[in-house]
């Protein structure tokens, strides 16, 4: 809840008699503090990728910065000390990786937030991070079913679009389940998909295959090339081992395969 909204709620507070209580409201305002600006939106847009952390572009390309700020008398974008309105968008074309900072100020104080455009940075491959091939007491899907699931991880400091990526349990790479074109995996983010054989691409993602609890092959493919496999080792067709019910298989926080 924004400071501005809290302040408005306190001013309107009424007692049982239906009358306002100025003293109570004044106390609440002092506890909440003055209405310094609120950065309600700061994000970068590059095609289907929208991120509040960072995006990657090739040199010579352009990305769009969008912002929306409440209760500000002035808004400045750095580098360059560029004056901005309280909301809007602006094209950015840095020649090298650049952090941008938006600072919003009013008579009661200021606030700032930063976001980064990465230029020509190397892209680490998305990782199949974890999976569960026999789910009896774990997470449920939107229909209340406990399906097999797997998790993808983006190890990069910038968001990646998943359009063009596919998942498969076919070592011949002939049967591919395509990711939605507008799906984004944010910087350092995780994405859980159900391997349910329901073949759905909505608020939940469901592949058109299941995982075998006796061990199976699973790979992430882009443009016909395997970019991730669990366990790692492509072009071998290693399978993940047999897994007991409600136990997952994958990497720990240190990146070690368990």
């Amino acid at each position: 809840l924004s400071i501005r909204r809290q302040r408005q709620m306190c001013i309107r507070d009424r007692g049982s008699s239906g009358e306002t209580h100025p003293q109570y409201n004044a106390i609440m305002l002092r506890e909440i503090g003055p209405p310094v600006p609120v950065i309600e939106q700061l994000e970068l847009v590059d095609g289907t990728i929208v991120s509040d952390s960072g995006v990657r572009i090739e040199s010579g390309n352009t990305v769009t910065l969008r912002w929306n700020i409440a209760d500000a008398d002035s808004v400045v974008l750095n580098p360059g000390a560029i004056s901005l309105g309280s909301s809007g968008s602006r094209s950015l074309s840095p020649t090298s990786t650049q952090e941008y900072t938006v600072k919003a100020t009013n008579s009661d104080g200021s606030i700032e937030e930063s976001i980064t455009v990465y230029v020509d940075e190397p892209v680490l491959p998305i990782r199949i991070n974890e999976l569960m091939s026999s789910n009896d007491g774990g997470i449920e899907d939107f229909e209340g079913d406990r399906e097999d699931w797997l998790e993808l991880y983006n190890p990069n400091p910038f968001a990646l679009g998943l359009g063009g990526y596919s998942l498969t349990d076919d070592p011949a790479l002939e049967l591919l389940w395509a990711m939605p074109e507008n799906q984004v995996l944010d910087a350092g983010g995780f994405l859980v998909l159900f391997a349910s054989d329901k073949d759905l691409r909505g608020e939940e993602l469901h592949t058109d295959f299941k995982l075998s609890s006796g061990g199976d092959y699973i790979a992430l493919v882009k443009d016909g090339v395997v970019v991730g496999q669990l366990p790692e080792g492509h072009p071998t067709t290693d399978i993940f081992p047999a897994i007991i019910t409600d136990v997952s298989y994958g990497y720990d926080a240190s990146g070690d395969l368990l």
Side-chain angles (χ1 to χ4, degrees):
L1 195 63
S2 71
I3 294 173
R4 178 181 58 169
R5 178 64 178 146
Q6 292 179 36
R7 182 173 183 269
Q8 291 170 344
M9 290 174 64
C10 289
I11 290 173
R12 289 196 295 265
D13 189 86
R14 294 176 179 270
S16 58
S17 64
E19 298 298 324
T20 59
H21 292 271
Q23 290 181 328
Y24 172 76
N25 290 335
I27 293 170
M28 289 299 293
L29 284 173
R30 285 198 299 271
E31 291 178 350
I32 292 172
V36 297
V38 178
I39 300 177
E40 298 179 339
Q41 177 191 42
L42 182 65
E43 61 190 16
L44 293 166
V45 183
D46 179 31
T48 61
I49 299 176
V50 179
S51 174
D52 60 5
S53 55
V55 301
R56 177 191 181 276
I57 61 172
E58 300 288 340
S59 56
N61 290 349
T62 298
V63 67
T64 300
L65 176 71
R66 295 195 304 211
W67 67 92
N68 185 38
I69 301 171
D71 298 326
D73 296 330
S74 69
V75 180
V76 175
L77 173 66
N78 282 303
I82 301 167
S83 295
L84 304 176
S86 59
S87 64
S89 63
R90 185 181 184 90
S91 294
L92 304 173
S93 301
T95 57
S96 60
T97 296
Q98 179 67 61
E99 180 182 72
Y100 293 90
T101 300
V102 170
K103 183 175 183 179
T105 304
N106 65 18
S107 59
D108 293 308
S110 63
I111 188 171
E112 63 182 41
E113 192 170 316
S114 297
I115 199 165
T116 302
V117 180
Y118 296 85
V119 180
D120 296 334
E121 296 285 351
V123 181
L124 298 174
I126 293 172
R127 187 169 75 198
I128 301 176
N129 196 58
E130 188 177 3
L131 60 82
M132 182 176 287
S133 56
S134 181
N135 178 14
D136 183 61
I139 60 174
E140 299 178 351
D141 70 6
F142 72 105
E143 294 180 320
D145 298 327
R146 290 187 169 93
E147 302 287 0
D148 304 341
W149 56 264
L150 59 96
E151 177 187 73
L152 301 181
Y153 167 61
N154 176 12
N156 296 283
F158 43 81
L160 291 175
L162 295 183
Y165 285 85
S166 299
L167 285 164
T168 186
D169 63 346
D170 175 20
L173 307 183
E174 295 178 354
L175 302 175
L176 303 176
W177 183 83
M179 300 288 295
E181 285 297 319
N182 61 349
Q183 187 69 48
V184 175
L185 188 50
D186 213 353
F190 298 86
L191 176 66
V192 172
L193 307 90
F194 290 97
S196 64
D197 200 27
K198 294 181 179 181
D199 191 17
L200 299 173
R201 296 171 181 83
E203 291 188 11
E204 289 183 354
L205 302 180
H206 290 250
T207 68
D208 59 358
F209 59 84
K210 288 178 174 287
L211 302 175
S212 171
S213 60
D216 207 346
Y217 176 86
I218 182 70
L220 182 66
V221 180
K222 185 176 185 183
D223 300 327
V225 177
V226 172
V227 295
Q229 182 178 318
L230 187 61
E232 296 179 345
H234 186 79
T236 66
T237 55
D238 289 343
I239 65 173
F240 59 80
I243 305 171
I244 62 175
T245 299
D246 290 336
V247 173
S248 66
Y249 173 75
Y251 295 92
D252 64 14
S254 299
D256 297 322
L257 186 60
L258 300 178

mmCIF file of all heavy atoms in Angstrom, residues 84-103:
data_model
loop_
_atom_site.group_PDB
_atom_site.id
_atom_site.type_symbol
_atom_site.label_atom_id
_atom_site.label_comp_id
_atom_site.label_asym_id
_atom_site.label_seq_id
_atom_site.Cartn_x
_atom_site.Cartn_y
_atom_site.Cartn_z
ATOM 1 N N LEU A 84 12.124 14.500 -16.458
ATOM 2 C CA LEU A 84 11.034 13.672 -16.958
ATOM 3 C C LEU A 84 9.714 14.132 -16.370
ATOM 4 O O LEU A 84 9.688 14.795 -15.326
ATOM 5 C CB LEU A 84 11.253 12.198 -16.579
ATOM 6 C CG LEU A 84 12.554 11.522 -17.012
ATOM 7 C CD1 LEU A 84 12.603 10.111 -16.444
ATOM 8 C CD2 LEU A 84 12.697 11.502 -18.520
ATOM 9 N N GLY A 85 8.613 13.762 -17.009
ATOM 10 C CA GLY A 85 7.301 13.951 -16.416
ATOM 11 C C GLY A 85 7.035 12.864 -15.397
ATOM 12 O O GLY A 85 7.846 11.956 -15.194
ATOM 13 N N SER A 86 5.881 12.913 -14.760
ATOM 14 C CA SER A 86 5.570 11.930 -13.732
ATOM 15 C C SER A 86 5.310 10.543 -14.312
ATOM 16 O O SER A 86 5.400 9.537 -13.605
ATOM 17 C CB SER A 86 4.360 12.386 -12.917
ATOM 18 O OG SER A 86 3.233 12.556 -13.765
ATOM 19 N N SER A 87 4.987 10.461 -15.596
ATOM 20 C CA SER A 87 4.817 9.173 -16.256
ATOM 21 C C SER A 87 5.167 9.332 -17.726
ATOM 22 O O SER A 87 5.133 10.429 -18.281
ATOM 23 C CB SER A 87 3.380 8.656 -16.107
ATOM 24 O OG SER A 87 2.465 9.521 -16.754
ATOM 25 N N GLY A 88 5.515 8.225 -18.356
ATOM 26 C CA GLY A 88 5.834 8.296 -19.771
ATOM 27 C C GLY A 88 6.764 7.185 -20.184
ATOM 28 O O GLY A 88 6.962 6.190 -19.470
ATOM 29 N N SER A 89 7.360 7.336 -21.367
ATOM 30 C CA SER A 89 8.304 6.366 -21.895
ATOM 31 C C SER A 89 9.393 7.106 -22.662
ATOM 32 O O SER A 89 9.188 8.228 -23.130
ATOM 33 C CB SER A 89 7.599 5.355 -22.802
ATOM 34 O OG SER A 89 7.038 6.002 -23.934
ATOM 35 N N ARG A 90 10.540 6.439 -22.792
ATOM 36 C CA ARG A 90 11.675 7.069 -23.459
ATOM 37 C C ARG A 90 12.550 5.981 -24.078
ATOM 38 O O ARG A 90 12.820 4.962 -23.434
ATOM 39 C CB ARG A 90 12.488 7.900 -22.460
ATOM 40 C CG ARG A 90 13.635 8.692 -23.078
ATOM 41 C CD ARG A 90 14.389 9.454 -22.012
ATOM 42 N NE ARG A 90 15.447 10.297 -22.592
ATOM 43 C CZ ARG A 90 15.264 11.543 -22.969
ATOM 44 N NH1 ARG A 90 14.076 12.116 -22.802
ATOM 45 N NH2 ARG A 90 16.256 12.242 -23.497
ATOM 46 N N SER A 91 12.995 6.192 -25.300
ATOM 47 C CA SER A 91 13.875 5.242 -25.964
ATOM 48 C C SER A 91 15.309 5.418 -25.467
ATOM 49 O O SER A 91 15.784 6.541 -25.298
ATOM 50 C CB SER A 91 13.828 5.436 -27.482
ATOM 51 O OG SER A 91 12.540 5.114 -27.993
ATOM 52 N N LEU A 92 15.983 4.293 -25.252
ATOM 53 C CA LEU A 92 17.371 4.296 -24.805
ATOM 54 C C LEU A 92 18.202 3.482 -25.786
ATOM 55 O O LEU A 92 17.791 2.391 -26.195
ATOM 56 C CB LEU A 92 17.496 3.694 -23.409
ATOM 57 C CG LEU A 92 16.645 4.317 -22.294
ATOM 58 C CD1 LEU A 92 16.776 3.493 -21.021
ATOM 59 C CD2 LEU A 92 17.053 5.765 -22.051
ATOM 60 N N SER A 93 19.377 3.992 -26.124
ATOM 61 C CA SER A 93 20.272 3.293 -27.051
ATOM 62 C C SER A 93 21.709 3.363 -26.556
ATOM 63 O O SER A 93 22.589 3.963 -27.194
ATOM 64 C CB SER A 93 20.170 3.896 -28.455
ATOM 65 O OG SER A 93 18.861 3.818 -28.961
ATOM 66 N N PRO A 94 22.010 2.771 -25.407
ATOM 67 C CA PRO A 94 23.380 2.836 -24.904
ATOM 68 C C PRO A 94 24.323 2.028 -25.794
ATOM 69 O O PRO A 94 23.930 1.039 -26.412
ATOM 70 C CB PRO A 94 23.270 2.223 -23.510
ATOM 71 C CG PRO A 94 22.100 1.284 -23.610
ATOM 72 C CD PRO A 94 21.130 1.976 -24.525
ATOM 73 N N THR A 95 25.574 2.457 -25.856
ATOM 74 C CA THR A 95 26.576 1.753 -26.653
ATOM 75 C C THR A 95 27.310 0.691 -25.842
ATOM 76 O O THR A 95 28.018 -0.147 -26.399
ATOM 77 C CB THR A 95 27.596 2.744 -27.223
ATOM 78 O OG1 THR A 95 28.201 3.478 -26.144
ATOM 79 C CG2 THR A 95 26.912 3.721 -28.175
ATOM 80 N N SER A 96 27.134 0.727 -24.532
ATOM 81 C CA SER A 96 27.695 -0.284 -23.642
ATOM 82 C C SER A 96 26.743 -0.443 -22.461
ATOM 83 O O SER A 96 25.817 0.360 -22.288
ATOM 84 C CB SER A 96 29.100 0.110 -23.161
ATOM 85 O OG SER A 96 29.058 1.337 -22.454
ATOM 86 N N THR A 97 26.955 -1.460 -21.670
ATOM 87 C CA THR A 97 26.077 -1.714 -20.530
ATOM 88 C C THR A 97 25.973 -0.471 -19.655
ATOM 89 O O THR A 97 26.985 0.125 -19.277
ATOM 90 C CB THR A 97 26.593 -2.909 -19.712
ATOM 91 O OG1 THR A 97 26.535 -4.082 -20.533
ATOM 92 C CG2 THR A 97 25.771 -3.117 -18.457
ATOM 93 N N GLN A 98 24.738 -0.080 -19.333
ATOM 94 C CA GLN A 98 24.502 1.183 -18.627
ATOM 95 C C GLN A 98 23.396 1.012 -17.586
ATOM 96 O O GLN A 98 22.335 0.475 -17.875
ATOM 97 C CB GLN A 98 24.099 2.281 -19.617
ATOM 98 C CG GLN A 98 23.794 3.626 -19.000
ATOM 99 C CD GLN A 98 25.019 4.275 -18.405
ATOM 100 O OE1 GLN A 98 25.987 4.562 -19.105
ATOM 101 N NE2 GLN A 98 24.998 4.509 -17.096
ATOM 102 N N GLU A 99 23.677 1.490 -16.378
ATOM 103 C CA GLU A 99 22.653 1.562 -15.331
ATOM 104 C C GLU A 99 21.992 2.930 -15.396
ATOM 105 O O GLU A 99 22.667 3.952 -15.460
ATOM 106 C CB GLU A 99 23.263 1.342 -13.953
ATOM 107 C CG GLU A 99 22.251 1.393 -12.819
ATOM 108 C CD GLU A 99 22.875 1.224 -11.457
ATOM 109 O OE1 GLU A 99 23.554 2.173 -10.994
ATOM 110 O OE2 GLU A 99 22.703 0.150 -10.860
ATOM 111 N N TYR A 100 20.655 2.946 -15.369
ATOM 112 C CA TYR A 100 19.889 4.190 -15.369
ATOM 113 C C TYR A 100 19.197 4.336 -14.013
ATOM 114 O O TYR A 100 18.648 3.353 -13.477
ATOM 115 C CB TYR A 100 18.849 4.185 -16.480
ATOM 116 C CG TYR A 100 19.457 4.221 -17.863
ATOM 117 C CD1 TYR A 100 19.779 3.047 -18.534
ATOM 118 C CD2 TYR A 100 19.728 5.430 -18.496
ATOM 119 C CE1 TYR A 100 20.354 3.069 -19.804
ATOM 120 C CE2 TYR A 100 20.307 5.474 -19.763
ATOM 121 C CZ TYR A 100 20.611 4.276 -20.408
ATOM 122 O OH TYR A 100 21.176 4.312 -21.661
ATOM 123 N N THR A 101 19.221 5.554 -13.491
ATOM 124 C CA THR A 101 18.613 5.829 -12.190
ATOM 125 C C THR A 101 17.572 6.934 -12.332
ATOM 126 O O THR A 101 17.863 7.999 -12.903
ATOM 127 C CB THR A 101 19.675 6.260 -11.166
ATOM 128 O OG1 THR A 101 20.631 5.205 -11.007
ATOM 129 C CG2 THR A 101 19.032 6.555 -9.814
ATOM 130 N N VAL A 102 16.389 6.669 -11.831
ATOM 131 C CA VAL A 102 15.324 7.670 -11.784
ATOM 132 C C VAL A 102 15.212 8.165 -10.344
ATOM 133 O O VAL A 102 15.059 7.370 -9.411
ATOM 134 C CB VAL A 102 13.987 7.085 -12.258
ATOM 135 C CG1 VAL A 102 12.834 8.051 -11.975
ATOM 136 C CG2 VAL A 102 14.051 6.770 -13.746
ATOM 137 N N LYS A 103 15.304 9.492 -10.171
ATOM 138 C CA LYS A 103 15.180 10.104 -8.846
ATOM 139 C C LYS A 103 13.967 11.017 -8.839
ATOM 140 O O LYS A 103 13.849 11.908 -9.678
ATOM 141 C CB LYS A 103 16.428 10.893 -8.487
ATOM 142 C CG LYS A 103 16.385 11.503 -7.088
ATOM 143 C CD LYS A 103 17.699 12.180 -6.739
ATOM 144 C CE LYS A 103 17.696 12.732 -5.320
ATOM 145 N NZ LYS A 103 18.979 13.377 -4.977
#
